[in-house]
């Protein structure tokens, strides 16, 4: 999800809808972990999630008679954005499969830093002073959340990173690719209808994931009932959240994604504790709250 300025005053309906979307996004990742723990692999999960979402948004395009007009710049940018989001989706789910769900999402929530970096590298844009001030705070919060010293886990740094290193690398790769996708979206396809961009992106992601499924010899479906519930949950929650985002929010006067939705890791933390029995140390919770607060602060900046 991308951050953009929050309107000066949100209606109660808009605020509740934003919270609902954040809840569903957090629940989607908890459902994904249930699926992964019961035989589903990452590529299979991404095919179901992205394929259904692409079909749902394509239906919206048809229902609202959105014109499909793509210029040369759009035709060049959309496949690149789809490829990047495909890598992001596979990497984030790979992280969720290896780490406590909340930690995977917190590491991914560093994507605003990557967005600023890519905007500088690709388009020569200097980062805002607010972003520069936020960087060390967010990195400190992430260090606390990940327990970089291994003190909270009691394993020491080497033992702790042997456990979480691969998962963290996947989450940060997801953040980096998503940051670049956001930059390309803003500069190359901002004039396209959001539903058209999403249908194109999710369709490309589904095709990429299908290719991954083919290379591994077919779908890896659940081996237990909990896995089927997880696969159904991640598909329905993700698709429903995106559908609400493009149909309900515009009518409520909310432009784009609000910073409020960046509390997704907090919902994931609570749901993962209640459903999966996952818990993290108090110092890690404090670090996570610091990351979320910093991202929300960035998302509420005025442009």
């Amino acid at each position: 999800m991308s951050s953009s300025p929050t309107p000066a005053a949100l209606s109660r309906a808009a605020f509740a809808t934003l919270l609902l979307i954040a809840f569903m996004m957090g629940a989607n990742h908890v459902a994904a972990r249930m699926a992964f723990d019961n035989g589903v692999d990452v590529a299979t999960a991404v095919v179901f999630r992205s394929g259904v979402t692409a079909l749902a948004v394509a239906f919206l395009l048809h229902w609202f008679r959105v014109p499909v007009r793509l210029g040369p710049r759009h035709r060049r940018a959309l496949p690149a954005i789809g490829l990047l989001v495909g890598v992001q989706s596979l990497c984030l789910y790979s992280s969720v499969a290896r780490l406590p769900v909340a930690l995977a999402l917190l590491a991914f929530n560093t994507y605003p830093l990557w967005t600023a970096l890519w905007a500088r590298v690709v388009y020569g844009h200097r980062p805002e002073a607010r972003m520069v001030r936020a960087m060390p705070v967010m990195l400190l919060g992430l260090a606390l959340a990940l327990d970089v010293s291994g003190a909270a886990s009691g394993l020491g740094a080497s033992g702790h990173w042997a456990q979480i290193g691969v998962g963290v690398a996947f989450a940060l790769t997801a953040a980096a690719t998503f940051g670049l996708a956001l930059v390309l979206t803003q500069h190359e396809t901002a004039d396209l209808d959001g539903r058209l961009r999403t249908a194109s992106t999710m369709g490309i992601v589904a095709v990429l994931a299908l290719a991954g499924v083919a290379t591994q010899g077919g779908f890896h479906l659940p081996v237990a009932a909990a896995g089927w519930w997880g696969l159904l949950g991640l598909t329905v929650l993700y698709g429903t959240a995106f559908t609400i985002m493009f149909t309900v929010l515009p009518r409520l006067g909310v432009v784009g994604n609000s910073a409020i939705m960046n509390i997704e890791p907090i919902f994931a933390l609570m749901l993962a504790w209640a459903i999966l029995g996952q818990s993290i140390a108090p110092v890690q919770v404090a670090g996570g709250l610091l990351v979320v607060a910093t991202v929300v602060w960035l998302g509420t900046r005025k442009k």
Side-chain angles (χ1 to χ4, degrees):
M1 290 181 298
S2 63
S3 311
S4 56
T6 303
L10 289 172
S11 69
R12 290 182 180 179
F15 185 80
T17 304
L18 291 168
L19 286 180
L20 176 62
I21 293 173
F23 176 83
M24 287 192 292
M25 287 297 192
N28 145 65
H29 289 97
V30 174
R33 181 59 183 260
M34 287 178 57
F36 299 147
D37 288 344
N38 289 277
V40 178
D41 71 322
V42 170
T44 298
V46 173
V47 167
F48 275 81
R49 185 198 75 173
S50 302
V52 170
T53 303
L55 291 174
V57 180
F59 174 77
L60 292 179
L61 289 174
H62 175 73
W63 181 266
F64 291 105
R65 303 182 186 278
V66 177
V68 180
R69 300 191 184 96
L70 301 178
R73 176 166 51 87
H74 302 141
R75 294 191 182 95
R76 290 192 300 269
L78 285 175
I81 293 169
L83 176 61
L84 289 167
V85 174
V87 172
Q88 176 256 321
S89 298
L90 292 167
C91 285
L92 183 53
Y93 268 5
S94 295
S95 180
V96 167
R98 290 167 171 82
L99 295 177
V101 177
L103 294 187
L105 294 181
L106 286 169
F108 173 69
N109 253 31
T110 60
Y111 68 81
L113 305 184
W114 292 100
T115 301
L117 174 62
W118 288 120
R120 175 63 174 169
V121 171
V122 179
Y123 294 100
H125 294 177
R126 291 183 178 274
E128 299 175 12
R130 192 179 179 104
M131 176 65 74
V132 174
R133 292 195 297 271
M135 286 181 182
V137 179
M138 188 181 295
L139 292 175
L140 173 61
L142 185 62
L144 292 172
L146 294 177
D147 183 29
V148 294
S149 68
S153 68
L155 299 173
S158 59
H160 183 60
W161 279 95
Q163 283 192 348
I164 72 168
V166 175
V168 172
F170 273 123
L172 293 178
T173 301
T177 51
F178 187 61
L180 181 54
L182 289 179
V183 170
L184 292 180
T185 298
Q186 177 183 352
H187 289 85
E188 306 296 339
T189 67
D191 54 336
L192 284 178
D193 187 286
R195 292 162 293 188
L196 180 58
R197 288 199 307 267
T198 299
S200 168
T201 300
M202 290 294 101
I204 293 171
V205 172
V207 170
L208 291 173
L210 272 174
V213 167
T215 61
Q216 66 189 15
F219 290 101
H220 290 181
L221 296 175
V223 296
W228 285 107
W229 282 113
L231 186 59
L232 175 64
L234 71 90
T235 302
V236 171
L237 288 164
Y238 191 85
T240 303
F242 261 86
T243 302
I244 292 174
M245 195 178 299
F246 288 114
T247 56
V248 178
L249 290 189
R251 299 185 182 187
L252 293 175
V254 181
V255 180
N257 299 335
S258 168
I260 295 170
M261 289 191 289
N262 286 299
I263 66 169
E264 173 190 345
I266 304 302
F267 283 126
L269 176 64
M270 295 186 294
L271 289 169
W273 170 76
I275 298 172
L276 304 175
Q278 293 182 351
S279 60
I280 58 178
V283 67
Q284 293 178 281
V285 174
L289 292 174
L290 186 58
V291 172
V292 171
T294 306
V295 174
V296 171
W297 180 69
L298 285 172
T300 55
R301 67 192 185 276
K302 294 182 179 180
K303 295 182 180 178

